[in-house]
Amino acid sequence: MGLSSRYTIRKEATPALLELLTQTTLGTNGARYKHLDTPTRIHDADNALFISLERDGKVQGNLTLCNRGKQWYVRYFAFANQKQASKNVNRVPKSNSRLKMEMASFFDETFDGKLGEAPDAFYAFIDPANDRSKWMSEQFGFRTEAQLISQSFSRTKPRAVAHVRQIESEELIDECLRKVSNSHAYFVKHHAKKGPFYGYFNQAGEITGFVKVTKANWVIERLPGMLGGIFTKLITITPGIRRIVKPTNHSFLVPESLWVKDNNPGVLSALLEGILAAEKVNMMLWFVDRRESLWRETRPYVDWGLFHKMTPQTIVDVVVLRKNPLKMDELRSKPIFVAGWDMV
């Protein structure tokens, strides 16, 4: 690596790190995309540590961690010039071996309390089809404990819904977030408290649906599925779907803290469509734990839209590294809370 290489831990992202992250293509041989919001989104990281290997003023590799008390979240994991979907997991560049060793040492020292109060676990969301991400997580001892599914909801012309309106009452927001917090593992208050928030209100004025949304922008290089490459090229000339997906600058919403009274599918559908109309976008991508009762009980009865019908749903593994692998915690009995910031 030479004398110019160094391993750093910082609490703020450097321009060199932002350059690496904004140039990184995520995904696998299926879906591939780039986040367009990283330069601004990264400043919303909660208690972040940016662990990097630098050489000649450039970041060769990075792992970003968010200190969330008893659980630390692994947010960014990127290497310069990495091939996201290498089929040969043994082809890990030797230039990354130092970062790997430093990270293993960092996890050990953190669990030993050398950097403050020791966490119980580190966790991350990874694409199980991405051989390199999976291989690297296993090298550090992470194990899959749950799975998310990316559930899309789209409308070519979303209709405004009179019962759906934005919520600004702190008291009402806190009341709804308590419901979400009580029924989910690893709740992240830092992100959950940032709006905008929407609610569905019935004829009596009672709130029966609640959600926070995060707006995101991606460049989509390839959509998922065997025909994803061809489909991506055809979108711009295909009526209907071209209103939903704009590959060079795709704007969409990510719902989180989603709660619906009695898991009513009609309320869920009306709530989501009303928000699309209010926010003037055509699509949502809900990253939801497959154990989530709201998703399981409503999915057969909701019209999820054109994008859902034309593309396969992708799976995301929830991987965890524990201080004590035998210790039980809430993740093993509750679906995990997924902040929109964590995914976009």
Side-chain angles (χ1 to χ4, degrees):
M1 292 292 294
L3 295 177
S4 58
S5 299
R6 62 183 185 139
Y7 162 75
T8 66
I9 300 180
R10 292 189 172 93
K11 292 187 177 180
E12 293 185 0
T14 64
L17 173 57
L18 284 174
E19 181 182 0
L20 169 67
L21 296 178
T22 54
Q23 292 178 356
T24 299
T25 296
L26 305 173
T28 66
N29 283 330
R32 289 197 298 274
Y33 53 92
K34 287 183 179 178
H35 293 168
L36 295 179
D37 304 316
T38 300
T40 54
R41 190 90 67 198
I42 203 167
H43 298 297
D44 291 331
D46 43 320
N47 303 314
L49 287 178
F50 301 98
I51 303 169
S52 302
L53 187 64
E54 301 176 2
R55 180 172 61 184
D56 299 330
K58 293 188 176 293
V59 177
Q60 300 299 304
N62 169 264
L63 190 141
T64 298
L65 298 166
C66 296
N67 180 345
R68 295 177 174 174
K70 289 298 183 182
Q71 296 87 29
W72 285 33
Y73 175 60
V74 182
R75 178 59 179 92
Y76 298 105
F77 187 33
F79 293 112
N81 302 318
Q82 72 177 19
K83 295 180 180 179
Q84 293 291 336
S86 171
K87 286 298 182 182
N88 185 348
V89 297
N90 293 317
R91 291 176 58 193
V92 178
K94 293 181 180 179
S95 59
N96 295 331
S97 61
R98 183 180 173 190
L99 181 63
K100 177 189 165 187
M101 289 188 295
E102 295 287 2
M103 284 311 310
S105 175
F106 178 85
F107 288 134
D108 289 339
E109 290 179 359
T110 306
F111 278 140
D112 289 340
K114 294 181 180 179
L115 299 177
E117 185 178 357
D120 289 335
F122 293 86
Y123 71 103
F125 304 127
I126 69 167
D127 181 349
N130 188 318
D131 293 326
R132 174 163 297 179
S133 293
K134 194 168 184 66
W135 183 86
M136 290 300 288
S137 72
E138 289 173 351
Q139 295 305 298
F140 294 135
F142 284 80
R143 295 293 179 265
T144 301
E145 294 202 2
Q147 283 189 321
L148 310 181
I149 194 160
S150 54
Q151 175 64 66
S152 63
F153 180 91
S154 63
R155 295 290 185 268
T156 56
K157 296 180 180 180
R159 296 172 297 179
V161 178
H163 292 281
V164 175
R165 61 177 184 263
Q166 194 164 347
I167 304 173
E168 296 183 356
S169 165
E170 289 291 331
E171 183 178 357
L172 183 55
I173 291 168
D174 288 342
E175 177 187 337
C176 293
L177 287 178
R178 277 194 293 272
K179 292 184 175 73
V180 176
S181 176
N182 291 338
S183 59
H184 290 81
Y186 297 7
F187 182 74
V188 188
K189 186 176 181 180
H190 172 86
H191 292 296
K193 286 286 289 181
K194 297 180 180 180
F197 303 95
Y198 285 89
Y200 182 96
F201 296 83
N202 64 16
Q203 295 287 358
E206 175 191 15
I207 186 168
T208 58
F210 171 85
V211 68
K212 171 210 166 157
V213 293
T214 298
K215 193 169 187 178
N217 299 280
W218 286 358
V219 169
I220 299 176
E221 297 182 357
R222 190 185 192 280
L223 288 162
M226 293 182 62
L227 300 178
I230 297 173
F231 186 33
T232 306
K233 295 177 181 178
L234 292 176
I235 281 176
T236 56
I237 59 172
T238 304
I241 192 67
R242 67 183 179 184
R243 297 178 63 91
I244 297 171
V245 181
K246 300 175 176 63
T248 58
N249 190 352
H250 178 58
S251 296
F252 63 102
L253 299 176
V254 179
E256 68 177 74
S257 300
L258 188 49
W259 166 81
V260 172
K261 184 178 180 181
D262 299 326
N263 292 344
N264 185 314
V267 171
L268 174 62
S269 183
L271 175 63
L272 298 184
E273 182 163 5
I275 295 170
L276 288 181
E279 293 285 332
K280 296 181 171 57
V281 294
N282 296 88
M283 179 177 161
M284 288 188 181
L285 199 55
W286 180 22
F287 296 94
V288 58
D289 192 317
R290 298 177 75 171
R291 300 171 294 172
E292 179 75 58
S293 63
L294 175 59
W295 175 73
R296 287 171 39 239
E297 293 179 20
T298 59
R299 61 176 177 161
Y301 308 106
V302 171
D303 176 5
W304 297 103
L306 185 59
F307 187 81
H308 172 76
K309 296 172 184 175
M310 299 180 71
T311 59
Q313 293 173 300
T314 55
I315 301 296
V316 178
D317 280 349
V318 181
V319 296
V320 183
L321 173 65
R322 297 185 185 281
K323 180 179 181 180
N324 180 358
L326 298 180
K327 182 179 179 180
M328 294 296 292
D329 76 0
E330 58 181 358
L331 180 59
R332 290 171 176 168
S333 60
K334 298 179 182 179
I336 194 168
F337 172 84
V338 184
W341 183 90
D342 292 353
M343 308 306 294
V344 299

